[in-house]
């Protein structure tokens, strides 16, 4: 361990040496400017070298100025404050924090006004007129207005723990981790102490073409912290990149934390923002700028407040903008969020983005003194060149070109030379600190415990035991059910994986089980993207017809509680083989084989007429060849232990599956063919929030009994399920052709934000509508074909039906989400087929959801 610490100190010394070498011919001054009376950071303060170029402070009062001249005098000035001038050492990097006191001249100023505040109006408001000019010139000021653009882009994402409790960090239980707590940063957020725990850097060359619209990114280098097998490092990177996206102030909506914030210069911005002209200044190019303050009309809306600088050169461009969100904004877990964008004038006298910085401090409590999680994304641009026409061949092929074998192995000397700004000392230690942490046995044991509690799997090295939430459950057929299982990990083999479980029902006194063997064809874990494997499996277990769950196991304990009659089950023996291939383009396909023996259980029976005499069928056997193709452009997800957790984007997802039953092969009793299509998309709708839309359609060819038709997804639990019909009973409807559409609208507090009590509670409105068309052809109708299985009945009353092609099944819901930040409650109403026996026309359903 001492050798490791010595090595870390040596690396830190080398990095500090490199930084000092780079800065040897530059004078670099950075720091924070605060009000001498309130000690609060001051935004928009001018800081510049005397007779040289300068900057204005961002929303946190921070600044950094650089010169390669011999000038060593720095001026700090702002309207209403006494100007400060100080001398710095030449050709060194130094930190100078400044306190500005009030200008004495202002103390003699007398202002007379009334107690009544003037009502804000857009009409005849010079600030609004100026903003309308900015909006009118938006398209001309966008980077996309150029025919060709190219630049070098450097991105840095980091995460840290904020305001960690000293009593905890000094605890003897954490003595081994003291090297982490010593690496703290107090310069990023005023009054906050940060402990960096994650770092990611990326350097790329970007090429943009206007017509046809094309972008090309060549990744030159990538470096990130690695936590080992306990965390999906690629998924964590995707999640952070999704939360901290690029900010384009010229877009109508700005995506942050998977939500859409209305830009202060959007088309509709004057309806939702208030604007005030604060000052007129001149930048280093001699261009006059208007300092404009903006703030939301309703502080609960997803809007910004802050200051922007607008050029008065006829372009009405944004030269700089510093903005943050209100603490009252209807977004969870966020204590503070800041976004700062700096623009630079090019040779054509138009302004382009040179740096953007997005920071957020998050926590369960919004108290400024409580601990939390800090995240920051900084993007800077160099070599901005316009209208340099490149050959068409440059833009061909994939939009992102990367060679992981090269870009992830760039030496430290590459990053020292190529970073647009050097890392701070705490930032420079993150990589080595986490590398040391990941190697510590105590940390591995702690992560194994967290994995057991939150992911359901206990890590024992070569094997994992779980998932624990399935160890105990109950149902009407099996009664009390115990289950135990596990799977192997890449520690045992990177090529061959096994998974198994055994279960026993104390009521039916039958054993169930599952066993699979998977061979990885790309020598990577079968649980990481991109998957490429062959799997064979055998399963003997129970199932509810028409129950299709997402992100949860069917024998989860919490789903043991159900409404209505729940005694129609199946015993299944399923033997499968499948080949799965995923591509980095997010296109994937699979080819499989399935032999399925199903036997009705509980009160479910398969009965058909044999010369007028009812005959019970004990087994249905099918042998099936199946295939699926899926395309999810730009898909992002976090890979959990069992499921992939999607990170939603605006792009659609397409899935097409096909299956063919083969009669006579391995006991197969039926010939049939099936096609199913699914299209899903999230739609961002600005002030109306966002909506998830799903379209599905399918067709079954051939004559088959009802168990082999499409059994529509139903839900008899008390949880709201997104992809099921929540007021439909299990096995209530079957179809051999169907089409469905689902729309779930999240209004994000559109109305509640204007109602005082609900506004304080940050409740949000949600509504949904689901419609299903379907039917059964005459050849598959048991009423017309007695040789087919009769539709099941409960107490002599038919309980399974074919949908009427002219009468769709429909249900709708209205609800409240974000209750206590995690709970959604819906009132669901069934709108059709209200005369079917045993149905519930309406109900209350709940869903837990962790979201911003």
């Amino acid at each position: 361990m001492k050798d490791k610490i010595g090595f870390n100190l040596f690396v830190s010394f080398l990095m500090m040496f490199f930084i000092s070498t780079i800065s040897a011919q530059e004078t670099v001054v950075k720091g924070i400017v605060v009000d001498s009376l309130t000690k609060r950071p001051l935004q928009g303060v001018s800081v510049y070298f005397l007779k040289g170029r300068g900057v204005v402070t961002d929303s946190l009062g921070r600044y950094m100025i650089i010169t390669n001249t011999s000038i060593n005098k720095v001026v700090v000035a702002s309207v209403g404050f006494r100007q400060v001038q100080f001398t710095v050492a030449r050709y060194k990097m130094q930190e100078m924090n400044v306190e500005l006191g009030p200008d004495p001249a202002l103390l003699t100023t007398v202002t007379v006004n009334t107690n009544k505040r003037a009502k804000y109006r857009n009409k005849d408001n010079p600030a609004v007129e100026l903003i309308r000019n900015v909006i009118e010139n938006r398209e001309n000021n966008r980077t996309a207005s150029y025919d060709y653009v190219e630049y070098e882009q450097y991105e840095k994402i980091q995460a840290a723990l904020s305001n960690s409790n000293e009593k905890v960090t000094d605890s003897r239980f954490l003595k081994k981790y003291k090297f982490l707590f010593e690496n703290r940063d107090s310069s990023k957020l005023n009054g906050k102490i940060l402990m960096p725990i994650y770092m990611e850097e990326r350097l790329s060359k970007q090429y943009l073409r206007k017509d046809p619209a094309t972008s090309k990114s060549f990744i030159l280098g990538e470096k990130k912290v690695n936590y080992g097998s306990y965390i999906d490092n690629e998924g964590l990177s995707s999640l952070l990149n999704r939360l901290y996206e690029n900010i384009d102030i010229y877009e109508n909506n700005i995506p942050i934390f998977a939500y859409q914030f209305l830009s202060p210069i959007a088309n509709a911005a004057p309806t939702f923002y208030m604007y005030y002209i604060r000052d007129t200044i001149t930048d280093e190019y001699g261009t006059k700028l208007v300092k404009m303050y903006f703030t939301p009309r309703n502080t609960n809306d997803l809007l910004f407040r802050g200051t922007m600088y607008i050029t008065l050169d006829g372009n009405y461009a944004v030269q700089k903008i510093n903005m943050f969100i209100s603490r009252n904004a209807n977004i969870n877990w966020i204590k503070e969020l800041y976004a700062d964008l700096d623009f630079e004038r090019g040779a054509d006298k138009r302004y382009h983005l040179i740096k953007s910085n997005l920071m957020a401090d998050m926590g369960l409590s919004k108290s400024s003194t409580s601990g939390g999680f800090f995240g920051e994304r900084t993007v800077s641009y160099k070599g901005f060149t316009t209208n340099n026409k490149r050959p068409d061949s440059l833009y061909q092929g994939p939009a992102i070109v990367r060679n992981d074998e090269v870009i992830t192995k760039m030496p430290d000397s590459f990053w020292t030379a190529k970073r647009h700004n050097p890392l701070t000392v705490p930032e420079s230690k993150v990589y080595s600190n986490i590398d040391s942490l990941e190697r510590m046995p105590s940390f591995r044991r702690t992560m194994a415990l967290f994995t057991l509690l939150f992911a359901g799997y206990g890590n024992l090295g070569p094997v994992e035991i779980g998932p624990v939430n399935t160890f105990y459950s109950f149902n009407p057929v099996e009664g009390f059910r115990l289950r135990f299982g596990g799977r192997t990990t890449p520690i045992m083999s990177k090529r061959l994986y096994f998974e198994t479980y055994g279960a026993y029902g104390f009521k039916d006194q039958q054993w169930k089980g599952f066993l699979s063997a998977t061979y990885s064809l790309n020598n990577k874990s079968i649980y990481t993207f991109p998957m490429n494997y062959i799997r064979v499996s055998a399963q003997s277990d129970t199932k509810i017809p028409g129950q299709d769950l997402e992100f949860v196991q069917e024998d989860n304990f919490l789903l043991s509680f159900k409404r209505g009659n729940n005694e129609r089950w199946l015993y299944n023996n399923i033997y499968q083989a499948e080949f799965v291939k995923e591509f980095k383009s997010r296109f994937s396909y699979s080819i499989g084989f399935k032999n399925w023996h199903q036997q009705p259980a509980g009160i479910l029976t398969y009965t058909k007429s044999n010369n007028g005499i009812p005959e019970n069928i004990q087994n249905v056997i099918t042998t099936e060849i199946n295939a699926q193709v899926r395309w999810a452009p730009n898909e992002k997800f976090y890979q959990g232990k069992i499921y992939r957790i999607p990170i939603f984007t605006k792009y659609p997802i397409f899935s097409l599956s096909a299956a063919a039953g083969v009669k006579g092969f391995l006991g197969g009793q039926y010939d049939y063919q099936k096609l199913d299509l699914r299209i899903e998309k999230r739609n961002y709708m600005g002030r109306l929030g966002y909506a998830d839309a799903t379209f599905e359609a399918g067709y079954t060819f051939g004559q088959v009994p009802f168990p082999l038709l499409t059994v529509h997804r139903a839900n008899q639990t008390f949880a709201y399920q997104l992809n099921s019909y929540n007021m439909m009973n299990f096995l209530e409807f079957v179809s051999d052709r169907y089409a469905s559409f689902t729309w779930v609208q999240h209004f994000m507090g559109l109305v509640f934000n204007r109602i005082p009590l609900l506004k304080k509670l940050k409740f949000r409105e949600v509504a949904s509508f689901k419609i299903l068309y379907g039917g059964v052809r005459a050849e598959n109708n048991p009423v017309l074909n007695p040789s087919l299985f009769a539709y099941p009945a409960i107490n002599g009353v038919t309980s399974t039906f074919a949908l009427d092609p002219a009468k769709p099944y429909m249900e709708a819901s209205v609800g409240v989400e974000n209750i206590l930040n995690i709970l959604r409650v819906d009132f669901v109403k069934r709108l059709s087929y209200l005369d079917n026996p045993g149905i519930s026309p309406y109900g209350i359903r709940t869903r837990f959801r962790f979201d911003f």
Side-chain angles (χ1 to χ4, degrees), residues 274-291:
M274 297 186 291
Y275 302 90
Y276 302 91
I277 294 176
R278 293 295 196 220
D279 196 6
T280 302
I281 62 176
T282 302
D283 70 4
E284 61 268 26
Y285 303 105
T287 304
K288 286 190 175 182
L289 307 172
V290 170
K291 182 179 179 181

Side-chain angles (χ1 to χ4, degrees), residues 304-332:
F304 298 101
R305 64 173 57 184
T307 303
M308 73 175 86
Y309 296 81
I310 302 168
T311 67
L312 294 181
D313 56 357
N315 290 320
Y316 296 102
V318 176
Q319 186 261 3
K320 183 180 181 69
I321 187 166
N322 308 119
M323 53 191 185
F324 57 96
I325 65 169
S326 167
R327 294 175 67 88
N328 296 326
N330 196 342
I331 183 170
N332 299 329

Side-chain angles (χ1 to χ4, degrees), residues 15 19 105 127 181 236 277 339 357 433 524 540 573 834:
M15 297 187 75
I19 291 172
F181 303 122
L236 177 61
I277 294 176
N357 183 253
N433 279 354
K524 292 184 178 180
S540 178
N573 290 324
L834 300 178

Side-chain angles (χ1 to χ4, degrees), residues 288-510:
K288 286 190 175 182
L289 307 172
V290 170
K291 182 179 179 181
M292 175 87 71
Y293 175 72
F294 55 92
T295 185
R297 294 173 185 259
N298 187 318
T299 58
N300 275 57
D301 288 342
L302 296 182
L303 302 169
F304 298 101
R305 64 173 57 184
T307 303
M308 73 175 86
Y309 296 81
I310 302 168
T311 67
L312 294 181
D313 56 357
N315 290 320
Y316 296 102
V318 176
Q319 186 261 3
K320 183 180 181 69
I321 187 166
N322 308 119
M323 53 191 185
F324 57 96
I325 65 169
S326 167
R327 294 175 67 88
N328 296 326
N330 196 342
I331 183 170
N332 299 329
W333 326 115
I334 304 300
K335 301 180 186 181
E336 298 177 82
L337 187 148
Y338 299 91
D340 301 309
L341 283 76
D342 294 294
F343 295 79
E344 184 178 64
R345 194 174 75 165
D348 59 356
K349 297 184 179 180
R350 290 169 59 184
Y351 286 78
H352 62 267
L353 185 65
I354 190 174
K355 185 178 181 181
S356 70
N357 183 253
L358 176 64
M359 296 189 301
D361 189 26
M362 297 168 273
L364 296 178
S365 167
K366 287 204 172 185
S367 168
S368 59
T369 58
S370 63
F373 181 86
F374 169 84
E376 179 182 24
R377 183 172 192 256
T378 301
V379 185
S380 60
Y381 308 87
K382 280 187 176 181
F384 192 90
T385 306
T386 62
N387 297 330
N388 182 12
K389 185 176 181 180
R390 296 286 186 172
D392 292 342
S393 58
L394 176 74
Y395 301 96
Q396 295 174 355
I400 300 177
V401 178
R402 56 184 296 141
N403 184 341
D404 290 334
E405 296 299 321
V406 175
I407 64 174
T408 59
K409 298 178 181 178
M410 303 303 291
D412 289 344
S413 58
F414 168 86
W415 291 104
T416 303
K418 292 293 186 179
R419 286 186 182 104
H420 290 188
N421 291 297
L423 299 180
T424 65
V425 174
E427 289 173 347
S428 65
K429 292 181 179 179
V430 177
Y431 294 114
S432 57
N433 279 354
I434 301 304
D435 181 63
S436 300
L437 179 69
E438 199 274 328
R439 296 173 185 271
M440 294 176 64
S442 58
F443 172 75
R444 294 187 176 189
R445 289 192 296 268
T446 302
M447 291 303 296
L449 177 60
F450 274 99
T451 302
L452 175 66
L453 294 176
F454 294 102
Y457 275 90
N459 192 301
L460 300 178
V463 299
E464 293 178 319
I465 304 301
V468 295
N469 56 13
T470 65
F471 285 178
Y472 164 68
S473 61
F474 57 90
N475 61 69
V477 172
E478 297 175 276
F480 173 49
R481 171 186 166 111
L482 291 179
R483 168 178 154 169
F484 184 79
R487 63 187 186 185
T488 64
T489 71
I491 295 177
M492 176 176 288
S493 171
K494 290 186 176 181
R495 285 286 189 181
L496 192 59
Y497 297 80
F498 296 95
E499 184 173 0
T500 188
Y501 71 77
Y504 184 77
F506 284 80
K507 182 178 180 180
D508 64 357
Q509 298 182 348
Q510 291 194 32

